[in-house]
Amino acid sequence: MLGFRRTLAAAVLCASWSCGSTQPDATEPVADIVVNPSAPTVALNSQLPLQALVRDAAGELVPDASVTWTVENADIASVSPAGVLTGLALGTTQVAASARGKSGIATVTVTRTPVASVVVRPNSAHALIGSKTQLTATTYDAGLSVLTGRGITWTTNNAAVATVDANGLVTAKSGGSATITATSEGKSDVCQLTVSQLPVSTVSIEGATSIAQNGTTTLVATTKDANGSVVTGRAITWQTSDESIVSLSATSGSSVQITGGLTGKATITATSEGVISKPSSISVSNGQVARVVVTLAANSISPNSTTTATAVVYDAGDRRLQGRTVSWFASGAATVSPSSSVTSAGESSAATTTVKVKNLRLNDSATISATISGRSGSATLTVLQ
């Protein structure tokens, strides 16, 4: 700087500045020159007009003074004879305005062209969990010219759904949405990202493979993607091959409660997103008989007429047992036909038989019994004239 000032003083005295000069006007001396702005900042390859205020000893402007503009480092900036400054390279230099043996100096800083806008591509994207998506960010100046070499900061507003590295590479973590933002010099743009789980590739069923009649158990379905990873929250439809053997108390969700009905075997399948599980075979075994209840359609009949007897078989939980065969017996002159029958499926589970009486006198009675697995139930029938 000291060298520049010495050179400047010599140049003023010799009237040999690089950008032009005028002979000093001795009729109106110049006291000082003020360059405005005194510490200008100009963007690289941009221009900024400077003003030189030439003043006399009283502080009044000297309107007819001719000003010569010079620059200390012509590699960093140039200045025109009219005082228009142009930034040529990043850095700092000095610019002088000289007239009639006086000069004013301004310190000039040349900065990079500021970022006016950032554009992220793509501005929206869809990804599957575990996949990676490369985003790009381009910086522009006010004239929409591309600016290179600018730092970009990448951020995500939902790291649980997606993360992003310093180069804009996005990794999908879980289902949901996230906003990925690229920022440079205070300007930013975003990509709206939607993350979906991978489709279901396999469905498997876990749980017991046998239950007793009227017993219940829970089956659980697990859905996995093509990578073998468990995926949750998927809709599952359950189906039984025979409702009379195994019934379902729920037909959606990852678990289902099944109830044993008639003895036998049935298969259960679970379906999710069109993928069907391997059938799960469920065996239903006989429940233990606790009691038998016999009822008559009519408790009293006339000779040579008939009525119907029914038997319902219950387990220890007082639940009706289906598909159970009972043996019928009748005392005295009453007869039953058939002598055995099976409890039907459904809420009205019962075995039936026809009872007929003959050769009984008025007010005579007969006992109608049903027996199964050592358990019996009976009802009394009376004959009326």
Side-chain angles (χ1 to χ4, degrees):
M1 178 175 176
L2 179 59
F4 177 64
R5 290 184 181 274
R6 287 175 178 172
T7 303
L8 177 61
V12 169
L13 291 174
C14 297
S16 59
W17 284 60
S18 63
C19 293
S21 64
T22 60
Q23 296 296 324
D25 185 351
T27 61
E28 192 170 1
V30 173
D32 67 1
I33 299 175
V34 177
V35 177
N36 187 29
S38 61
T41 298
V42 63
L44 188 65
N45 299 319
S46 297
Q47 293 184 326
L48 177 69
L50 302 179
Q51 183 183 33
L53 303 178
V54 183
R55 301 185 299 191
D56 59 20
E60 298 295 331
L61 295 178
V62 181
D64 58 346
S66 180
V67 177
T68 299
W69 292 93
T70 56
V71 64
E72 178 188 19
N73 189 337
D75 291 332
I76 293 177
S78 66
V79 63
S80 74
V84 177
L85 182 69
T86 301
L88 301 178
L90 301 180
T92 301
T93 187
Q94 289 185 325
V95 173
S98 303
R100 300 178 187 179
K102 299 293 181 179
S103 64
I105 297 176
T107 299
V108 177
T109 301
V110 180
T111 62
R112 294 192 300 181
T113 303
V115 173
S117 62
V118 178
V119 175
V120 173
R121 290 290 180 268
N123 58 8
S124 64
H126 183 276
L128 297 175
I129 290 177
S131 67
K132 296 182 182 295
T133 302
Q134 181 64 61
L135 303 182
T136 61
T138 306
T139 53
Y140 295 88
D141 64 16
L144 296 182
S145 295
V146 175
L147 298 173
T148 59
R150 303 306 169 90
I152 304 291
T153 301
W154 292 93
T155 57
T156 176
N157 75 334
N158 194 343
V161 172
T163 58
V164 61
D165 68 9
N167 299 313
L169 183 63
V170 178
T171 302
K173 296 292 188 179
S174 64
S177 60
T179 299
I180 311 299
T181 304
T183 303
S184 180
E185 298 179 17
K187 305 299 181 181
S188 62
D189 193 23
V190 302
C191 171
Q192 300 294 343
L193 180 72
T194 302
V195 179
S196 299
Q197 292 182 320
L198 291 172
V200 172
S201 178
T202 61
V203 182
S204 59
I205 298 176
E206 296 178 354
T209 58
S210 63
I211 56 175
Q213 194 174 42
N214 289 326
T216 61
T217 189
T218 299
L219 302 180
V220 178
T222 301
T223 51
K224 294 183 179 180
D225 60 25
N227 297 324
S229 299
V230 175
V231 291
T232 60
R234 305 306 173 91
I236 298 174
T237 301
W238 294 89
Q239 190 170 23
T240 175
S241 63
D242 194 330
E243 184 74 22
S244 66
I245 296 176
V246 178
S247 61
L248 310 177
S249 60
T251 57
S252 63
S254 61
S255 63
V256 65
Q257 180 175 283
I258 63 174
T259 301
L262 297 175
T263 56
K265 288 186 178 181
T267 57
I268 306 298
T269 55
T271 302
S272 181
E273 298 179 9
V275 179
I276 304 174
S277 69
K278 178 181 178 180
S280 177
S281 179
I282 307 296
S283 298
V284 179
S285 59
N286 283 332
Q288 187 173 1
V289 177
R291 64 190 183 99
V292 181
V293 176
V294 175
T295 58
L296 300 173
N299 291 317
S300 57
I301 59 176
S302 58
N304 299 314
S305 60
T306 61
T307 188
T308 300
T310 62
V312 178
V313 181
Y314 293 89
D315 63 15
D318 214 30
R319 294 165 298 198
R320 298 188 179 193
L321 295 174
Q322 304 171 17
R324 310 309 294 272
T325 302
V326 300
S327 298
W328 291 99
F329 302 94
S331 65
T335 60
V336 291
S337 179
S339 60
S340 65
S341 58
V342 181
T343 58
S344 62
E347 183 62 28
S348 60
S349 303
T352 62
T353 190
T354 300
V355 181
K356 183 176 182 181
V357 298
K358 59 181 180 179
N359 300 325
L360 290 178
R361 295 190 300 270
L362 181 62
N363 296 327
D364 278 353
S365 61
T367 300
I368 311 301
S369 302
T371 301
I372 180 175
S373 301
R375 302 288 181 176
S376 298
S378 62
T380 300
L381 178 66
T382 301
V383 178
L384 297 178
Q385 187 63 39

